[in-house]
Amino acid sequence: MGQTNATSWRGFVFTGFSRFGELQLMLFALFLSLYLVTLTSNVFIIVLIRLDSHLHTPMYLFLSFLSFSETCYTLGIIPRMLSSLVRGGQDISFMGCAVQMFFSASWACTNCFLLAVMGFDRYVAICTPLRYASRMVPTLCAQLVGTSFLSGYLFGLGMTLVIFRLPFCSSHEIQHFFCDTPPVLSLACGDIGLSELGVLILSLLVLVVSFSFIIVSYTCILAAILRIPSTEGQKKAFPTCASRLAAVVVHYGCASSMNLRPKASYSLERDQLIAVTYTVVTPLLNPIIYSLRNRAVQTALRKAFRGQLLGKG
């Protein structure tokens, strides 16, 4: 108990970028640029969907909540990461690390469930178009979104409690840029087998359940596309489906490689690269693939800019 108290008093230090030396400023400029684009894109999509009545449909409702979830996820990680690139190793208290892990895990799980909900929405729209309006009613949409957020918070809380019940009596240096589950778990001492199993089970539940829904939904969607008699129609529908699947594969591939493996296989260089992908790159891909390539969103953007220009005129 004394060791645990010492850890909570001392806290942790992020040292993930310390080995890059003078390259840290270049990384800061790169990550800051990507983050500003990501933040601006997601916020703009939320506002646009809110203001344009033509986008008040279930699909865009889910898109707006995905953008909101991605925004909250990156806000909890990237600002501190940018600060550590400028200032070097940065301290975080024991409680602060637990809070960051809770929110980052919660929003990450919420993103997985929202992607599954969006896959289900597209399945209903494409495979049963005549029943879409009667099935995707506002009550069901609200329930799906609420369940996604509640489930995300419950799984995030479970992962945090499983890890922070352990004593941290070895090194207090987190060789990472935020309190992610694998690098924090690697600092724990004593018998961590039960906690590792708990994290694995929770991760499997989130990833396997949500990914299974996505795969089933998009398999049915692809089958429906192949049944389109017009080759031109297939060519128009397939790229959209393929790009969304690509974004899903990147998201789940990174999450699986980080969480579905034992502590012994933790690697600083590899895992930092993977973490950068799902904390910086994937949140940038989502607004581009799911929203900005959408014709209705593009039309709303043109209307918004045209209205702004006319207002100034």
Side-chain angles (χ1 to χ4, degrees):
M1 180 64 71
Q3 290 170 322
T4 307
N5 289 338
T7 302
S8 62
W9 173 261
R10 177 177 65 211
F12 300 104
V13 180
F14 295 119
T15 61
F17 291 114
S18 59
R19 70 186 189 283
F20 287 100
E22 296 179 356
L23 291 176
Q24 288 185 195
L25 289 179
M26 186 175 70
L27 289 174
F28 170 81
L30 174 62
F31 292 152
L32 177 62
S33 301
L34 293 174
Y35 178 56
L36 290 177
V37 174
T38 302
L39 188 63
T40 303
S41 300
N42 280 310
V43 171
F44 194 76
I45 287 167
I46 295 170
V47 174
L48 185 68
I49 293 174
R50 173 79 176 176
L51 295 179
D52 195 310
S53 59
H54 295 94
L55 300 180
H56 292 176
T57 63
M59 182 178 74
Y60 299 109
L61 170 74
F62 298 139
L63 282 173
S64 66
F65 277 108
L66 179 65
S67 292
F68 174 75
S69 181
E70 290 281 21
T71 300
C72 293
Y73 175 67
T74 55
L75 278 173
I77 297 173
I78 298 183
R80 183 178 281 274
M81 177 188 76
L82 293 172
S83 177
S84 66
L85 281 169
V86 174
R87 297 170 52 190
Q90 192 176 44
D91 297 342
I92 186 170
S93 67
F94 186 78
M95 183 57 67
C97 188
V99 169
Q100 187 185 51
M101 179 180 291
F102 166 67
F103 281 109
S104 61
S106 297
W107 291 117
C109 293
T110 299
N111 290 342
C112 290
F113 293 126
L114 285 174
L115 288 172
V117 167
M118 290 166 63
F120 172 73
D121 172 73
R122 290 300 82 204
Y123 158 74
V124 177
I126 295 172
C127 298
T128 59
L130 298 179
R131 299 179 183 178
Y132 182 74
S134 60
R135 284 187 174 183
M136 300 304 294
V137 294
T139 303
L140 177 61
C141 294
Q143 290 173 345
L144 290 172
V145 171
T147 301
S148 297
F149 278 83
L150 179 60
S151 301
Y153 275 106
L154 290 176
F155 277 103
L157 179 62
M159 289 184 184
T160 305
L161 292 177
V162 163
I163 291 178
F164 280 89
R165 59 176 285 277
L166 295 167
F168 293 90
C169 50
S170 56
S171 171
H172 64 285
E173 293 184 353
I174 299 178
Q175 297 184 346
H176 207 53
F177 54 86
F178 77 104
C179 289
D180 203 3
T181 50
V184 175
L185 187 60
S186 69
L187 298 181
C189 60
D191 184 8
I192 67 166
L194 203 58
S195 295
E196 259 193 318
L197 180 62
V199 171
L200 179 63
I201 291 173
L202 290 171
S203 300
L204 277 171
L205 283 172
V206 174
L207 296 173
V208 172
V209 170
S210 59
F211 190 63
S212 297
F213 270 102
I214 292 171
I215 291 300
V216 171
S217 297
Y218 279 98
T219 299
C220 295
I221 290 170
L222 286 171
I225 292 173
L226 292 175
R227 287 196 297 268
I228 297 175
S230 166
T231 306
E232 189 66 26
Q234 291 182 1
K235 288 181 179 179
K236 288 181 179 179
F238 185 76
T240 300
C241 186
S243 61
R244 291 190 175 196
L245 273 176
V248 167
V249 168
V250 171
H251 178 88
Y252 280 89
C254 293
S256 299
S257 62
M258 282 292 288
N259 294 291
L260 304 184
R261 56 173 175 69
K263 169 189 170 184
S265 63
Y266 177 74
S267 166
L268 172 61
E269 291 80 8
R270 181 192 61 197
D271 289 0
Q272 268 199 288
L273 179 61
I274 295 172
V276 166
T277 302
Y278 67 73
T279 56
V280 179
V281 179
T282 304
L284 177 62
L285 290 177
N286 283 338
I288 295 173
I289 291 175
Y290 287 100
S291 301
L292 299 180
R293 294 179 71 251
N294 184 282
R295 287 185 178 180
V297 173
Q298 291 173 359
T299 301
L301 279 171
R302 284 194 292 269
K303 285 169 56 180
F305 282 119
R306 194 180 304 121
Q308 187 179 22
L309 290 174
L310 289 174
K312 287 183 179 180

